[in-house]
Amino acid sequence: MHIELDSPLDMHLHLRDGEMLATVAPLTSHSFSGAIIMPNLVPPVTTREEVLAYKERIRTAIGEDRFEPYMTLFFKPTYTREFLESVADEITAIKLYPAGITTNSEGGVSGFDIEELRETLGAMSDLGIPLCIHGETGGFVMDREAQFVPIYEKLATAFPDLKIIMEHITTKESVDALGRFENLYATITLHHLIITLDDVAGGMLRPHLFCKPIAKRPEDREALLRVALKAHPKVMFGSDSAPHPKESKECPGCAAGVFTAPIALQVLAELFEKHGAPVENLQKFVSGNAVNIYSVTPPAKKVVLVKKECTVPERYGSVVPMYAGEKIAYSIDKVE
Ligand code: NCD
Ligand code: ZN
């Protein structure tokens, strides 16, 4: 049994910087053709120079792999039309974080006053720059994403030509919102298709499954699976693979983020098979839909997966992956 995937894309990826970048970037660039690179470095990526320099560091980290880093800026409501025009050719999207909602998001947006956002979002809309949003309010942790849906709706209505991507959706409310607005799209992670809050905190606490947004209820996971397995044209795979060193996860004050980059395609193949979803749908979920939504042309790459059990390493450098030490059903056979 083998599965061939053309030009897989990861439309939400954290590569970090320095030593961590050197460790994790090749794990994605080996099996993916491209990825949307998150800008939440310390300090965040906010200038043209920083985008170009970070892209160069990523290129150094991936070596010879055929891989396109689709760069993003960290959204600031102070970005002018002139600035956006000067940077538009170097970026694929801009990522908006509500202030303080997740790792390294302190400089994000507080309040969503349309008039305060009009110049920046209006210019992005005119220039065709998609807006990726981490959609959570500061409310009760299980309700934060559902509470953000009215903000998505307000933005989608005020800027009908702006492509808005609801990042790493975890709830049925977000899935429902997809159908109500033409300009709303979504990424879905691997881990949110598999785990619920029970896996994180229902028994012994499992820090390596702790992430933002927190995994939700079984019915939310069902709603995500429904759209992912049928490759709903408005959803794309975005791993949100978010590496943190082991000591930042296994401690009081555990950092949020699940590290899935090295096992993402293999486990997606297993998941689609388990649910009886055709390989064509997996192909659309991990590539075709993103190509259509973002109008990108990823480098040609064929990834061949085989049904051959393998044990996931305990660590990649200082990072513990999802399924560390456990067996998964598929392996990467070759990449052409
Ligand atoms: C991400 C990180 O570590 O950068 N963490 C996470 O839990 N997903 C940030 C984010 O995407 O929220
Ligand atoms: Zn993320």
Side-chain angles (χ1 to χ4, degrees):
M1 175 76 189
H2 82 286
I3 291 176
E4 290 185 12
L5 294 175
D6 285 317
S7 299
L9 294 169
D10 181 348
M11 303 313 275
H12 183 131
L13 178 67
H14 298 271
L15 286 181
R16 316 300 192 203
D17 217 338
E19 218 174 290
M20 182 66 94
L21 170 64
T23 302
V24 303
L27 300 171
T28 290
S29 64
H30 173 62
S31 51
F32 286 86
S33 219
I36 293 271
I37 310 299
M38 288 296 134
N40 63 331
L41 303 182
V42 187
V45 180
T46 56
T47 67
R48 187 172 187 277
E49 293 66 36
E50 283 163 356
V51 167
L52 294 175
Y54 188 32
K55 190 170 187 177
E56 206 40 52
R57 296 197 295 282
I58 293 169
R59 288 213 185 281
T60 304
I62 65 180
E64 297 298 299
D65 283 344
R66 244 176 301 127
F67 177 82
E68 186 60 33
Y70 296 110
M71 304 306 291
T72 63
L73 280 173
F74 186 103
F75 182 91
K76 292 273 182 196
T78 48
Y79 290 154
T80 60
R81 181 175 290 266
E82 193 187 3
F83 167 70
L84 292 169
E85 280 169 359
S86 75
V87 76
D89 287 347
E90 308 301 341
I91 59 171
T92 303
I94 297 183
K95 174 71 186 284
L96 186 155
Y97 293 89
I101 205 66
T102 188
T103 309
N104 305 337
S105 62
E106 289 69 23
V109 171
S110 306
F112 281 83
D113 185 279
I114 294 293
E115 288 323 308
E116 275 172 30
L117 300 171
R118 190 171 293 286
E119 174 171 359
T120 308
L121 295 185
M124 284 174 63
S125 175
D126 294 345
L127 293 165
I129 304 171
L131 176 70
C132 302
I133 303 186
H134 182 121
E136 290 194 285
T137 66
F140 178 65
V141 70
M142 287 294 279
D143 298 335
R144 287 176 188 175
E145 184 176 301
Q147 287 171 356
F148 199 89
V149 169
I151 303 177
Y152 279 130
E153 298 187 344
K154 188 164 89 167
L155 294 169
T157 306
F159 303 96
D161 297 324
L162 177 67
K163 279 191 177 166
I164 300 174
I165 293 114
M166 303 188 284
E167 293 296 330
H168 43 50
I169 58 169
T170 62
T171 58
K172 54 182 173 12
E173 285 82 1
S174 297
V175 171
D176 291 345
L178 272 180
R180 290 201 296 274
F181 291 86
E182 214 171 296
N183 55 333
L184 281 185
Y185 303 84
T187 55
I188 301 180
T189 73
L190 172 67
H191 48 284
H192 290 120
L193 291 171
I194 295 176
I195 64 170
T196 67
L197 184 61
D198 256 3
D199 297 288
V200 186
M204 301 266 265
L205 188 67
R206 293 170 72 191
H208 297 289
L209 297 180
F210 172 65
C211 67
K212 300 290 176 66
I214 194 101
K216 304 291 187 314
R217 297 176 175 79
E219 55 269 35
D220 294 304
R221 181 181 56 186
E222 286 312 309
L224 300 177
L225 277 168
R226 248 193 326 272
V227 283
L229 294 171
K230 72 173 185 204
H232 184 298
K234 295 178 96 182
V235 306
M236 315 168 257
F237 175 62
S239 70
D240 194 18
S241 179
H244 293 276
K246 188 174 193 278
E247 55 282 12
S248 303
K249 296 286 290 176
E250 299 178 6
C251 63
C254 165
V258 182
F259 180 54
T260 53
I263 51 111
L265 287 179
Q266 301 89 310
V267 179
L268 275 174
E270 187 174 344
L271 182 76
F272 272 61
E273 181 188 270
K274 180 178 128 196
H275 289 279
V279 175
E280 301 85 82
N281 291 11
L282 178 57
Q283 175 66 47
K284 287 182 192 154
F285 182 59
V286 297
S287 186
N289 289 354
V291 164
N292 293 335
I293 294 167
Y294 272 99
S295 307
V296 289
T297 312
K301 186 177 270 190
K302 190 183 286 301
V303 178
V304 183
L305 299 154
V306 280
K307 195 149 190 204
K308 191 172 105 198
E309 219 173 56
C310 68
T311 304
V312 177
E314 295 284 352
R315 303 257 288 262
Y316 289 88
S318 62
V319 193
V320 177
M322 189 177 178
Y323 294 117
E326 294 178 45
K327 288 194 162 50
I328 56 174
Y330 275 87
S331 309
I332 293 178
D333 185 36
K334 49 182 189 249
V335 178
E336 293 164 347

